[in-house]
Amino acid sequence: MIRHNKRKIIILIYIIIFACIIAPIIMLIIPNATCTDGKLNQNEDRIDCGGVCRACPDEVVGKDLVITRTDVLAGGDGMYDVVATLHNPNALFGGKVVYYTVEISDSSGHVLAKRNDKTFILPNENKYIVEIGLVTAQNPSNAKVSIDNVEWVKFTNFDSPQIIVRNQHVGLVENSTDYAEALGLVSNESTYDFHNVVIHVIILDERGVPIAVNQTVQNTLNADSQREFRLTWPHKFPGTIKSTDMQAEANVYDSLNYVKKFIPISE
């Protein structure tokens, strides 16, 4: 028994000697892992980025947003409306805040009116940017929407809120001071109550070209509820109404826009 304990003590002494003499030599030969050593040797997501190192580039900035179409439309009484289609090509990146500038100009490129505003966009989303009532005494020929800055948010997974516009109808109004009207039923099929839901209405001609736009805000749209809305235009359109595109959106990045989560009662 004494001999066995003595052997343990000798082995422990050798281990301590090894740790004190050999380990420092190994540390000198093998350098510490760093965020600039060109190796995937920490808890990095990729070489020298992610984890304990700086964020990888595509974790901060997604692919650029794309403006696929921009139109300027007469709004009546010296006012003009602009509608643009914005595309987000990123599957897991959303724009928490998208800052943009709208300009309308004449045929020579002279800017007649300008407005700065902001919106948001969800991953893989196509959405409208709508600006109503830009004022100018001259008739604009062109419109331009420029993306100034984007505050990106990365999602690990994403489910778009289910807010759908049903029973869409657009037509001319008889025996009224209004020229045309659009009717619809906005349905919140998500599990959240929202303080504000914005509805964009785009009227298209037979070529699929926008000829009129309008928008409205529905306040406090609860989960599993529906609400009718009506929009009107007092001025005549520069074309024939063929179809309409109505898009509803709720800002899921704004925590103040959530009233509460709706939890169905199990039967």
Side-chain angles (χ1 to χ4, degrees):
M1 181 71 176
I2 295 174
R3 182 179 294 177
H4 182 70
N5 289 338
K6 192 173 182 179
R7 184 179 297 174
K8 280 185 176 181
I9 293 171
I10 293 172
I11 293 172
L12 180 61
I13 291 172
Y14 274 111
I15 292 174
I16 293 173
I17 293 172
F18 177 83
C20 294
I21 297 174
I22 306 300
I25 296 174
I26 294 175
M27 294 297 292
L28 290 174
I29 297 173
I30 302 175
N32 292 330
T34 69
C35 294
T36 57
D37 57 13
K39 298 178 181 179
L40 186 64
N41 52 5
Q42 301 184 85
N43 67 335
E44 302 149 328
D45 296 328
R46 295 200 297 273
I47 293 176
D48 292 341
C49 73
V52 298
C53 300
R54 62 182 174 82
C56 296
D58 64 353
E59 291 182 350
V60 179
V61 179
K63 296 179 183 178
D64 290 342
L65 301 178
V66 181
I67 302 289
T68 58
R69 183 187 180 96
T70 306
D71 293 277
V72 56
L73 312 170
D77 298 327
M79 294 186 293
Y80 294 85
D81 306 328
V82 173
V83 56
T85 304
L86 182 65
H87 172 61
N88 181 6
N90 300 286
L92 291 178
F93 287 97
K96 177 180 179 180
V97 186
V98 180
Y99 299 91
Y100 63 88
T101 300
V102 176
E103 295 179 343
I104 54 176
S105 57
D106 59 21
S107 57
S108 64
H110 175 68
V111 176
L112 303 175
K114 181 178 179 179
R115 181 182 294 172
N116 298 105
D117 209 341
K118 61 185 178 181
T119 186
F120 64 92
I121 193 166
L122 306 176
N124 268 342
E125 185 180 25
N126 291 291
K127 67 170 290 180
Y128 288 116
I129 290 178
V130 175
E131 291 293 332
I132 304 292
L134 281 80
V135 179
T136 176
Q138 302 182 48
N139 294 330
S141 301
N142 303 294
K144 178 183 178 182
V145 176
S146 304
I147 304 300
D148 302 320
N149 190 30
V150 181
E151 294 182 15
W152 293 103
V153 173
K154 185 177 182 180
F155 293 82
T156 54
N157 54 66
F158 177 76
D159 291 321
S160 178
Q162 298 299 306
I163 305 176
I164 302 169
V165 181
R166 304 187 183 279
N167 302 342
Q168 299 183 21
H169 170 78
V170 62
L172 302 182
V173 181
E174 297 181 357
N175 303 319
S176 172
T177 56
D178 295 322
Y179 173 72
E181 67 176 4
L183 307 173
L185 181 72
V186 58
S187 175
N188 182 3
E189 300 178 12
S190 67
T191 57
Y192 288 92
D193 300 341
F194 291 105
H195 278 294
N196 295 307
V197 172
V198 179
I199 303 167
H200 302 297
V201 176
I202 317 298
I203 295 180
L204 309 168
D205 65 11
E206 62 277 1
R207 301 167 298 165
V209 175
I211 56 175
V213 300
N214 211 334
Q215 61 185 7
T216 184
V217 177
Q218 296 293 312
N219 296 318
T220 313
L221 186 63
N222 295 331
D224 199 28
S225 69
Q226 299 177 338
R227 186 176 300 170
E228 294 179 342
F229 65 89
R230 178 177 182 264
L231 288 169
T232 62
W233 288 262
H235 59 279
K236 188 175 181 179
F237 302 157
T240 302
I241 299 172
K242 180 63 177 180
S243 62
T244 184
D245 190 5
M246 302 186 187
Q247 185 182 83
E249 60 181 24
N251 191 346
V252 297
Y253 301 101
D254 184 3
S255 60
L256 297 178
N257 197 30
Y258 291 94
V259 181
K260 64 180 182 347
K261 185 171 182 178
F262 173 74
I263 303 176
I265 299 175
S266 299
E267 295 182 359

